[in-house]
Amino acid sequence: MGQVQQTIVQHHLRSQNPTATTLLASGEGTTHTVTVTTNDGNGNSATCTVVLTGNDNTPPVPSCEGPQTIALDANCKLLVRIF
């Protein structure tokens, strides 16, 4: 995962792993755990976790070129290319 991010919140040291703005490879229903730890500098600390679940609700949008004119080979055949 990413680096540990540390910030001071009301005189407490807070760390988070993975750090904020980390892009995680994910898919529908894939879960990721974010661990947050707070330390008050006096030996007291607490940890919690947040579970993130991917929700893919954006349909794909194909991009197609317009009509094509393709030269035939010597046998009057054409090769379909990858679009």
Side-chain angles (χ1 to χ4, degrees), residues 1-15:
M1 292 216 193
Q3 299 175 342
V4 174
Q5 178 181 23
Q6 296 182 338
T7 54
I8 296 176
V9 179
Q10 297 178 350
H11 307 290
H12 294 143
L13 181 64
R14 179 182 172 277
S15 61

Side-chain angles (χ1 to χ4, degrees), residues 38-58:
T38 302
N39 185 312
D40 67 2
N42 294 315
N44 301 308
S45 64
T47 300
C48 66
T49 58
V50 178
V51 177
L52 307 176
T53 303
N55 181 14
D56 183 4
N57 58 9
T58 304

Side-chain angles (χ1 to χ4, degrees), residues 4-43:
V4 174
Q5 178 181 23
Q6 296 182 338
T7 54
I8 296 176
V9 179
Q10 297 178 350
H11 307 290
H12 294 143
L13 181 64
R14 179 182 172 277
S15 61
Q16 173 180 318
N17 190 9
T19 61
T21 71
T22 298
L23 291 175
L24 302 172
S26 196
E28 178 64 34
T30 303
T31 60
H32 301 278
T33 302
V34 177
T35 303
V36 179
T37 303
T38 302
N39 185 312
D40 67 2
N42 294 315

